[in-house]
């Protein structure tokens, strides 16, 4: 069974304090790993897709990386507006099903 | 602007009642999905549809029903058979099988059973 584990469950950072969120996965043949951002009471917003180990994607203060067993979402010099829950998901390919992790709730304090 | 519209945003239901959640998209996407989100759990797939007049059960389809009569619309009915319907429901769409993981979500509908 495909599994996605995100850590930590919650993270509190001071504005400007860089850190990383982790997504560990177990899947039979990874077709894609996805990162989403979700604000309270809203639907998730797609951020990145990573397809193979060694791949990196960047968007503003966010950088996602992928290895064969995990992905990291690095947040450089975060701002309060980066506060949200970040979701990781994997697609094993073939059958149309994506498995989501529970998410990491990030709070950036001014 | 293209996107996914879910309605209503908040819905209250008495036990024993069926309710229908609306989902409309103008992105011209072939695939549409319904997910359920509960605290402390990842998004769970209820139903999905790849094309009009065709849909498949996800992981937690019991107590739910859907239809896909138009490409733009994918309504979800929460029936009285769903034992624990209070949750946040999310509709999503994707271009197709190639980029299934790149999902576009609506704003969600929060259902509360009284």
């Amino acid at each position: 069974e495909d599994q996605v584990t995100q850590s930590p469950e919650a993270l509190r950072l001071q504005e400007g304090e860089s850190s990383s969120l982790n997504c560990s996965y177990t899947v039979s043949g990874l077709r894609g790993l996805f990162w989403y951002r979700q604000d309270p009471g809203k639907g998730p917003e797609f951020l990145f897709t990573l397809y193979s180990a060694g791949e990196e994607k960047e968007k503003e203060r966010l950088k996602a990386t992928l290895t064969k067993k995990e992905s990291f979402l690095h947040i450089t010099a975060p701002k309060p507006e980066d506060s949200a829950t970040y979701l990781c998901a994997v697609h094993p390919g073939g059958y149309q099903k994506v498995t989501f992790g529970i998410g990491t709730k990030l709070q950036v304090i001014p | 602007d293209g996107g996914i519209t879910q309605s209503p945003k908040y819905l209250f239901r008495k036990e024993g009642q069926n309710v229908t959640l609306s989902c409309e998209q103008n992105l011209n996407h072939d695939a549409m999905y319904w997910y359920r989100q509960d605290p402390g759990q990842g998004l769970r797939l209820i139903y999905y549809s790849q094309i009009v007049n065709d849909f498949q059960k996800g992981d937690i389809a019991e107590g739910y029903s859907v239809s896909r009569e138009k490409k733009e619309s994918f309504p979800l009915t929460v029936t009285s058979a769903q034992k624990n319907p209070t949750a946040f429901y999310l509709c999503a769409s994707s271009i197709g099988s190639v980029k299934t993981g790149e999902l576009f979500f609506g704003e969600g509908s929060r259902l509360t059973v009284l």
Side-chain angles (χ1 to χ4, degrees):
Chain A
E1 184 178 325
D2 302 330
Q3 286 191 329
V4 176
T5 303
Q6 292 188 246
S7 62
E9 289 186 8
L11 181 62
R12 195 176 184 192
L13 300 173
Q14 292 287 338
E15 184 173 1
E17 179 186 2
S18 301
S19 187
S20 297
L21 313 182
N22 177 263
C23 172
S24 298
Y25 64 90
T26 303
V27 64
S28 55
L30 181 69
R31 183 164 186 175
L33 184 141
F34 313 93
W35 283 98
Y36 289 84
R37 169 191 170 126
Q38 185 174 24
D39 293 307
K42 305 285 187 180
E45 175 188 354
F46 170 76
L47 292 173
F48 303 111
T49 303
L50 300 168
Y51 293 105
S52 58
E55 189 175 0
E56 300 181 351
K57 293 277 181 72
E58 287 189 65
K59 181 179 180 179
E60 297 181 356
R61 294 176 293 281
L62 301 177
K63 179 181 178 180
T65 62
L66 180 65
T67 72
K68 289 185 177 181
K69 293 183 178 181
E70 59 191 349
S71 176
F72 292 94
L73 185 65
H74 307 279
I75 304 176
T76 303
K79 299 181 177 181
E81 52 262 42
D82 294 322
S83 297
T85 296
Y86 290 87
L87 304 175
C88 174
V90 295
H91 183 213
Y95 173 46
Q96 305 290 339
K97 179 177 177 291
V98 174
T99 299
F100 281 84
I102 296 173
T104 293
K105 186 175 182 179
L106 173 67
Q107 183 183 15
V108 181
I109 303 166
Chain B
D1 290 336
I4 297 180
T5 302
Q6 289 187 241
S7 63
K9 190 171 179 63
Y10 299 96
L11 185 60
F12 298 89
R13 189 194 93 172
K14 294 182 179 180
E15 287 192 16
Q17 287 182 336
N18 293 352
V19 294
T20 298
L21 308 181
S22 171
C23 178
E24 302 280 334
Q25 57 105 352
N26 60 3
L27 299 167
N28 199 33
H29 286 172
D30 291 315
M32 296 187 74
Y33 312 79
W34 274 105
Y35 285 90
R36 171 178 171 145
Q37 188 172 37
D38 296 281
Q41 296 195 47
L43 296 175
R44 292 183 291 168
L45 183 63
I46 303 172
Y47 269 98
Y48 68 98
S49 168
Q50 291 286 86
I51 57 173
V52 175
N53 293 322
D54 187 51
F55 48 83
Q56 285 77 42
K57 294 181 179 180
D59 298 322
I60 56 167
E62 185 176 352
Y64 300 97
S65 66
V66 294
S67 64
R68 187 87 186 276
E69 298 178 359
K70 298 185 301 181
K71 186 176 183 178
E72 302 79 18
S73 179
F74 192 40
L76 173 73
T77 297
V78 184
T79 75
S80 57
Q82 169 50 234
K83 298 305 180 187
N84 185 21
T86 294
F88 189 49
Y89 291 88
L90 289 160
C91 179
S93 70
S94 67
I95 294 173
S97 61
V98 174
K99 295 186 177 182
T100 303
E102 295 184 8
L103 301 170
F104 293 81
F105 284 89
E107 293 284 272
S109 293
R110 187 168 296 280
L111 172 63
T112 302
V113 174
L114 302 174

